[in-house]
Amino acid sequence: MAHWRTDPEAVAQAVALGDRSAIAQAITAIESSNPRHRPLARRLLQELPTPETMTVRVGISGVPGVGKSTFIESFGRMLTGMGHRVGVLAVDPSSVRTHGSVLGDKTRMPELSVNPDAFVRPSPSSGTLGGVAKSTSQAMRILEAAGYDVILVETVGVGQSETTVATMVDTFLFLGLARTGDQLQGIKKGVLEIADIVAINKADGEHEKAARAAARELQAALRMVYTGHAGWVPPVLTCSGLTGLRIDDVWQTIGKHRDYLGEAGLLAKRREQEWELTWKLVRAELEDRLARDGGVRAIRDDLRRQVFGGDLAAAQAADEILRVFDAQPHGPSA
Ligand code: GDP
């Protein structure tokens, strides 16, 4: 078996044939933070074929405990049963900050992890959110080139990770919960603005009634928000990842969203996302360089003291940081 460090083109060809160890290698290559590996990763990516038919990219988000991994496990099983090949990727903001992880553990989806028609890849374990976003969008390319036609990108509902994932997928699915006394849990306003579909999960057993009531309530609220809007109003569904109840409804609704966008609309959306991601990546790289810059690090503590002491205004401190930063050579550093 070829190795990406010696023959990235051969690895790309093996990826195109669906070779699992080549896929794993290719993703390792693009996740590498070593700048010397970048040209190799680029060569590998260039060699990948573009899928002939449009793939389905779905983002799945929700607070920890909402049932994401359980849902993806049964959703993935249903899809592979329908003849799809399913890739699962994760964007885990906690791994960015602490190198620990809320998502990403393969054992969270034991069945899908060993399913020959699925490929589960945990979130890159370190890096900035921009770096993780870059790896994830490239990993998506790799899986699509390998013949995976449905890509599920999972993220925890924290901070910027949701909006980042939203710029990588066709349809953004938000999983919520209903509980008595606290009708809707973990549904933040910002999230509803990017959700294409909302599903109140764990709608089974004693929770089913509350879930349905919460879904109706949220649907009514959303209709109000979207009044006068000609476009897509996010449908609010109920489902149970645990029992599989109505997860087929979620899949059908994803199909409806795609029909609504149409092939040209989907393509336009992806191009726009690509451009948005371009700038996100540039900003992330610049922020990284700023954080690593030796000159900036050298003056940071001193400036902080001055700002805290009231001796220096923010604008002056910022000017000083930028002056020091501009004075350094800035290649992609190690
Ligand atoms: P995640 O943190 O969002 O990935 O959530 P998990 O999938 O790990 O689920 C958290 C807990 O909720 C686990 O104990 C699951 O067994 C339970 N759970 C997940 N989905 C369902 C569901 O559809 N119904 C019920 N009743 N419990 C669920």
Side-chain angles (χ1 to χ4, degrees), residues 63-70 108 154 201-202 204 207 240-242:
V63 295
V66 75
K68 291 179 296 302
S69 54
T70 310
R108 293 173 65 240
E154 178 190 12
N201 195 28
K202 304 196 185 181
D204 47 43
H207 304 311
S240 165
L242 193 66

Side-chain angles (χ1 to χ4, degrees), residues 5-65:
R5 257 178 270 162
T6 49
D7 195 350
E9 283 81 8
V11 172
Q13 281 150 20
V15 165
L17 297 173
D19 182 310
R20 294 182 82 90
S21 76
I23 297 168
Q25 268 205 52
I27 299 180
T28 303
I30 54 106
E31 280 178 0
S32 170
S33 55
N34 185 336
R36 273 176 305 167
H37 293 159
R38 286 190 184 183
L40 297 170
R42 205 171 302 134
R43 271 165 60 192
L44 195 161
L45 288 168
Q46 264 162 9
E47 204 61 29
L48 292 176
T50 313
E52 276 159 32
T53 51
M54 196 119 174
T55 55
V56 179
R57 300 173 176 175
V58 181
I60 299 177
S61 182
V63 295

Side-chain angles (χ1 to χ4, degrees), residues 138-219:
Q138 291 177 337
M140 188 150 73
R141 289 272 155 77
I142 291 166
L143 289 176
E144 289 175 344
Y148 292 87
D149 63 320
V150 180
I151 310 291
L152 308 176
V153 186
E154 178 190 12
T155 192
V156 188
V158 179
Q160 290 296 302
S161 67
E162 285 157 334
T163 41
T164 300
V165 170
T167 58
M168 293 193 270
V169 297
D170 307 326
T171 303
F172 192 84
L173 167 66
F174 185 77
L175 296 180
L177 281 181
R179 285 287 175 269
T180 37
D182 175 15
Q183 281 291 297
L184 289 167
Q185 250 183 22
I187 299 189
K188 295 175 294 181
K189 193 171 162 284
V191 166
L192 286 183
E193 279 161 15
I194 56 171
D196 299 303
I197 300 169
V198 178
I200 306 299
N201 195 28
K202 304 196 185 181
D204 47 43
E206 53 175 323
H207 304 311
E208 189 170 354
K209 234 173 120 188
R212 287 188 177 239
R216 272 195 302 275
E217 197 179 296
L218 182 60
Q219 186 73 79

Side-chain angles (χ1 to χ4, degrees), residues 62-266:
V63 295
V66 75
K68 291 179 296 302
S69 54
T70 310
F71 175 85
I72 292 172
E73 182 93 327
S74 24
F75 202 58
R77 187 196 307 130
M78 176 188 76
L79 292 176
T80 56
M82 290 161 75
H84 291 288
R85 297 186 68 214
V86 181
V88 180
L89 298 168
V91 171
D92 183 350
S94 62
S95 72
V96 171
R97 245 175 294 126
T98 61
H99 294 225
S101 110
V102 177
L103 299 172
D105 184 352
K106 266 197 178 180
T107 57
R108 293 173 65 240
M109 293 157 205
E111 202 188 298
L112 215 52
S113 297
V114 297
N115 184 327
D117 292 316
F119 196 99
V120 180
R121 179 78 179 192
S123 177
S125 58
S126 66
T128 57
L129 184 55
V132 171
K134 178 177 170 182
S135 304
T136 306
S137 73
Q138 291 177 337
M140 188 150 73
R141 289 272 155 77
I142 291 166
L143 289 176
E144 289 175 344
Y148 292 87
D149 63 320
V150 180
I151 310 291
L152 308 176
V153 186
E154 178 190 12
T155 192
V156 188
V158 179
Q160 290 296 302
S161 67
E162 285 157 334
T163 41
T164 300
V165 170
T167 58
M168 293 193 270
V169 297
D170 307 326
T171 303
F172 192 84
L173 167 66
F174 185 77
L175 296 180
L177 281 181
R179 285 287 175 269
T180 37
D182 175 15
Q183 281 291 297
L184 289 167
Q185 250 183 22
I187 299 189
K188 295 175 294 181
K189 193 171 162 284
V191 166
L192 286 183
E193 279 161 15
I194 56 171
D196 299 303
I197 300 169
V198 178
I200 306 299
N201 195 28
K202 304 196 185 181
D204 47 43
E206 53 175 323
H207 304 311
E208 189 170 354
K209 234 173 120 188
R212 287 188 177 239
R216 272 195 302 275
E217 197 179 296
L218 182 60
Q219 186 73 79
L222 276 173
R223 285 217 183 88
M224 295 268 280
V225 173
Y226 281 78
T227 304
H229 234 262
W232 174 263
V233 180
V236 184
L237 316 170
T238 58
C239 69
S240 165
L242 193 66
T243 64
L245 211 68
R246 282 188 298 279
I247 58 170
D248 54 340
D249 199 17
V250 176
W251 179 240
Q252 276 161 22
T253 308
I254 290 169
K256 280 187 199 153
H257 182 237
R258 299 179 72 77
D259 290 344
Y260 163 78
L261 291 171
E263 186 134 353
L266 264 172

